Amino acid sequence: MKNNYAKNLTMLKKCQKIYNIIFWIYVVSSVPLIGITVIYGTLSLASVSNNIKDYVGTLILLLAFLATGILSVYKKETKFTYLPVPVSLLLKTMSIFFSSEMYFLNVITLDSLESLHIIVAVICSAVITVTNRKYHWLEQQDGFPYFNERFEENKNKISEQEKNSPYQYYIDRYKNSSGKMDEI
C-alpha cells in the first residue's frame, strides 16, 4: 500500500510538471508574436497601407490561441485539449488570405511562426491527452491528491466518528479520563 502511494504521488508530480511545462510552451510561443503584432499594428496606423484589420484579426486569434492553450492545460478535460489546433489553423489560413508582409528581424516571416503554432498545438494536445488519462486514473485511486497514509487514516477516523452520535466522542473521552492527579 505504501509503495502504491509513493508511485502514485510520483506520477501525480510528473503530471503537474508536464502541465506546467506545456503552459510555458504556450506562453513562450504566443507572447512574442502578440508583441510583434501589437508593434506592427501600431506602426501600420501611421503608414499609408492602413491594413490594421489584418493586425487586429491576427492579435485576436493569437490571444484566442493563448487562452485555449491555457484552458486546455488547466481544465484537465479532453474536450478542451484540442481547442488550440483549430485556432492555430484559423490563424494560418488568415495569414494566407490576408498576407501582410510582416517580418521579424528581416529573416523570419510571421507565416513561418504561425506554422510553428500549428506544430506546437498538435504536439501539446497529444501530450496533454496522455497526461489527462494518467491524471484521471490517479483521481480514482485511494489517497488522491495527497497519497499519504496519514490522510487516509484521519479520513477513516473522521468517518467512524461521524457514524457515532455527535456526543459519543465526548462521552467516551469523559469515561476514559480518570480525573485523578496520580497520572501526572
Side-chain angles (χ1 to χ4, degrees), residues 165-177:
S165 70
Y167 300 107
Q168 188 65 36
Y169 172 73
Y170 296 108
I171 293 170
D172 292 341
R173 192 169 138 196
Y174 180 72
K175 286 180 183 178
N176 291 337
S177 66

Side-chain angles (χ1 to χ4, degrees), residues 16-88:
Q16 293 298 332
K17 187 176 182 180
I18 289 171
Y19 287 136
N20 290 334
I21 288 171
I22 290 180
F23 166 78
W24 284 109
I25 287 173
Y26 278 124
V27 168
V28 167
S29 67
S30 297
V31 170
L33 272 177
I34 291 171
I36 292 169
T37 306
V38 167
I39 290 170
Y40 279 109
T42 54
L43 291 176
S44 73
L45 286 174
S47 70
V48 180
S49 65
N50 204 9
N51 54 358
I52 191 67
K53 292 181 286 186
D54 299 344
Y55 295 108
V56 170
T58 304
L59 183 64
I60 289 172
L61 286 175
L62 284 171
L63 291 172
F65 177 78
L66 181 62
T68 55
I70 291 171
L71 184 70
S72 70
V73 169
Y74 287 112
K75 278 293 189 176
K76 295 178 180 73
E77 294 180 18
T78 309
K79 63 183 176 182
F80 294 115
T81 303
Y82 297 104
L83 284 177
V85 176
V87 172
S88 63

Side-chain angles (χ1 to χ4, degrees), residues 85-102:
V85 176
V87 172
S88 63
L89 288 172
L90 187 61
L91 185 64
K92 181 65 178 171
T93 55
M94 183 184 162
S95 70
I96 290 172
F97 288 120
F98 304 108
S99 79
S100 53
E101 297 292 323
M102 291 197 300

Side-chain angles (χ1 to χ4, degrees), residues 137-170:
W137 180 80
L138 287 171
E139 281 180 331
Q140 297 170 353
Q141 301 304 310
D142 289 335
F144 180 82
Y146 304 111
F147 295 116
N148 194 337
E149 289 180 359
R150 285 187 299 153
F151 289 108
E152 288 299 311
E153 291 171 3
N154 288 339
K155 192 187 309 181
N156 291 336
K157 285 180 184 178
I158 290 172
S159 65
E160 288 175 8
Q161 288 176 358
E162 288 175 355
K163 288 178 185 176
N164 297 333
S165 70
Y167 300 107
Q168 188 65 36
Y169 172 73
Y170 296 108

